[in-house]
Amino acid sequence: MEYRDFIDVPKTLQLIPGFGLFVGATINYQLLELLGQTAKQCYRVRWFKEEA
């Protein structure tokens, strides 16, 4: 699944007044978790390349 496909529906739901606040907070939290995991994995790959 591409990033664009993942974010289309939640960003559309954020346009609903009131409800969009909760959707936005949840989606931002999930995206930050995904970004953190990706950053850790990139660091590990880089670290292992320097070791070799």
Side-chain angles (χ1 to χ4, degrees):
M1 184 183 321
E2 290 186 25
Y3 174 76
R4 178 184 50 84
D5 297 334
F6 177 74
I7 199 71
D8 280 347
V9 174
K11 285 297 182 184
T12 304
L13 291 175
Q14 278 186 307
L15 296 174
I16 301 171
F19 181 67
L21 173 72
F22 299 107
V23 172
T26 303
I27 294 305
N28 287 340
Y29 178 78
Q30 291 176 354
L31 288 175
L32 280 176
E33 286 291 320
L34 183 62
L35 179 63
Q37 291 174 3
T38 304
K40 288 177 190 177
Q41 191 64 23
C42 289
Y43 179 78
R44 288 180 186 129
V45 168
R46 186 174 145 196
W47 187 75
F48 283 126
K49 282 185 179 181
E50 288 178 0
E51 289 284 320

